[in-house]
Amino acid sequence: MMLSSSGKITIDLGRRSYAINVGSELLAYLAKKADQVFPPATSALIVTNTTIAPLYGQALADALAPYYPHVHTVTLPDGEEHKTWQTLNLIFDALLTHGCDRKVVLYALGGGVIGDMTGFAAACYMRGVDFVQVPTTLLAQVDSSVGGKTGINHPLGKNMVGAFHQPRLVICDLSTLNTLPTRELAAGIAEVIKYGPIADMAFFAWLEEHMDALLAREPQALAHAVQRSCEIKAEVVGADEREAGLRAILNFGHTFGHAIEAGLGYGQWLHGEGVAAGMVMAAELSQRLGLVDAAFVQRLRRLIERAGLPVRGPVLDARDNAARYLELMRVDKKAEAGAIRFVLIEQPGRAVLRPAPDALVREVIDTCCAG
Ligand code: NAD
Ligand code: GLY
């Protein structure tokens, strides 16, 4: 495969291995290529939303046209609150209305919401068809498009219904990030920062040095951030695809973050914002357990703040905020027999999955929530 990409990462999963292509103007480039770069199929269905369709829908349809006899598009409503069964059904409606057979390939054109729903639809349709991720948010380029976690939300819990289903290819076109709203860019930076404390403190130091460049969307800085994040994620997923253990470290900050998202109502805080405040809370918990020192927590808090992200959680219940967080966190997928397990920083650059005493978690919530 030849792409004018700045980098290509392979995620090593045996027969299900695939490439993550990172570069500028990939969509435009693909449209001009005669090579076969996409998975062969009888038809393609682009799954996108009302915001992204007018920006990039035509470019992707043009890129796919030479390769597929039929290219269809389904345009979903935009927003985390639409990551539901009802919206998922619109994808099945489109597949069946267009008479798509097992050889259809779905293209997820959008952020993590579109990617997760398209992947889940691909996992279910006719018991499993191929799909390709074309992520257009920073968050999706550095995290959600890679690794095959797909699904939807349930009112009682975030991402509670889903499947592991790997894409055949990931195309990260960095130029799509130019139209991303600033708040969404920052939310993506939260997932980039995550990779430092869990796996690579040299990358964390690089982020400290280049945060202004990232916020200014300097192409080289974005390319490095996406490339390094995908490399780390590919390595973790390659070692533990189904989250038997190691992969859970990618959820640093997510136990608190998912509680924030579900507790406020999906779409109030962005996923990355919940993760940002959640990382500070998880780092505070790590400190209280004697794993890291206060200087590390402060360093993490400062970087998150510089990205324009929240470092304090919201109050979810004025009567007993900690009890509400604990209740929500018990619905986490990492919980076992009702016991919450947290991704904690064992030492900067290394994470571990562990339970923690409720009393200590309460202390963290009381200290770290605004109000
Ligand atoms: P999102 O998909 O809601 O996208 C954010 C907003 O930006 C949306 O309004 C979208 O329409 C818009 N947008 C997307 N690309 C754009 C562009 N190039 N220009 C202008 N606007 C654009 O949110 P997200 O942050 O990308 O993803 C969050 C979701 O990802 C959550 O549901 C989360 O659970 C999931 N997630 C999944 C994984 C995984 O491993 N599967 C990992 C992390 C997060
Ligand atoms: N975003 C967490 C994971 O992919 O495992």
Side-chain angles (χ1 to χ4, degrees):
M1 185 193 301
M2 284 289 299
L3 293 174
S4 75
S5 57
S6 61
K8 180 168 146 183
I9 302 143
T10 300
I11 180 156
D12 194 0
L13 292 166
R15 268 191 321 110
R16 285 169 295 104
S17 298
Y18 54 94
I20 306 158
N21 293 282
V22 181
S24 305
E25 312 293 345
L26 284 181
L27 291 180
Y29 182 80
L30 288 169
K32 292 189 207 121
K33 286 296 289 182
D35 304 358
Q36 175 60 274
V37 289
F38 299 115
T42 50
S43 63
L45 177 72
I46 299 172
V47 182
T48 188
N49 72 26
T50 48
T51 306
I52 301 151
L55 293 169
Y56 306 110
Q58 196 57 52
L60 182 58
D62 290 347
L64 300 182
Y67 307 116
Y68 299 104
H70 306 284
V71 178
H72 310 290
T73 297
V74 58
T75 304
L76 307 178
D78 185 7
E80 183 75 39
E81 66 276 24
H82 295 293
K83 195 176 167 184
T84 60
W85 276 116
Q86 286 76 7
T87 314
L88 188 73
N89 241 332
L90 299 177
I91 306 177
F92 298 131
D93 290 348
L95 285 163
L96 289 163
T97 306
H98 293 302
C100 297
D101 61 19
R102 279 207 160 120
K103 290 272 170 63
V104 66
V105 56
L106 273 57
Y107 281 81
L109 176 67
V113 170
I114 287 292
D116 282 11
M117 280 198 295
T118 307
F120 191 31
C124 300
Y125 188 62
M126 296 196 177
R127 300 201 181 91
V129 297
D130 284 341
F131 83 113
V132 170
Q133 290 273 16
V134 188
T136 61
T137 62
L138 182 60
L139 185 140
Q141 295 191 354
V142 300
D143 192 349
S144 64
S145 65
V146 175
K149 279 190 182 176
T150 73
I152 54 171
N153 297 329
H154 185 280
L156 294 179
K158 170 94 179 139
N159 293 337
M160 275 294 151
V161 181
F164 284 100
H165 189 56
Q166 298 293 342
R168 288 283 305 272
L169 176 72
V170 181
I171 301 168
C172 293
D173 186 334
L174 299 167
S175 62
T176 61
L177 301 179
N178 290 329
T179 54
L180 198 61
T182 306
R183 187 176 166 200
E184 298 290 350
L185 183 79
I189 292 175
E191 298 276 19
V192 177
I193 292 174
K194 164 185 90 177
Y195 291 111
I198 65 165
D200 185 353
M201 284 306 283
F203 182 49
F204 189 85
W206 181 89
L207 288 170
E208 289 176 317
E209 214 174 302
H210 293 86
M211 184 52 73
D212 293 342
L214 276 180
L215 291 168
R217 303 176 203 225
E218 284 180 17
Q220 279 189 335
L222 284 174
H224 181 69
V226 174
Q227 178 89 15
R228 186 66 196 127
S229 300
C230 287
E231 280 168 5
I232 296 170
K233 180 145 188 190
E235 203 173 316
V236 172
V237 173
D240 178 23
E241 183 186 4
R242 297 247 164 173
E243 202 166 303
L246 177 73
R247 184 168 177 168
I249 67 169
L250 297 171
N251 270 306
F252 176 49
H254 287 56
T255 309
F256 291 102
H258 284 170
I260 293 171
E261 281 188 86
L264 289 176
Y266 300 117
Q268 295 302 305
W269 273 35
L270 302 180
H271 176 73
E273 293 169 342
V275 168
M279 285 192 290
V280 176
M281 292 162 101
E284 280 269 355
L285 187 56
S286 309
Q287 187 200 335
R288 278 161 209 264
L289 285 162
L291 301 172
V292 292
D293 59 19
F296 167 75
V297 181
Q298 186 51 21
R299 197 176 158 196
L300 176 62
R301 184 183 286 112
R302 204 175 310 123
L303 187 61
I304 292 173
E305 232 163 8
R306 275 186 60 205
L309 288 160
V311 291
R312 294 177 73 73
V315 174
L316 300 178
D317 186 336
R319 283 164 305 170
D320 190 346
N321 189 43
R324 180 66 182 136
Y325 268 84
L326 283 162
E327 180 188 30
L328 287 161
M329 290 194 295
R330 285 191 218 287
V331 192
D332 191 75
K333 288 192 288 308
K334 294 181 294 304
E336 267 183 11
I340 309 164
R341 295 186 305 158
F342 294 90
V343 179
L344 301 170
I345 303 305
E346 210 173 21
Q347 66 177 58
R350 208 169 71 205
V352 66
L353 186 64
R354 272 182 53 172
D358 274 6
L360 221 51
V361 179
R362 275 182 167 273
E363 264 179 46
V364 167
I365 295 165
D366 291 341
T367 312
C368 292
C369 289

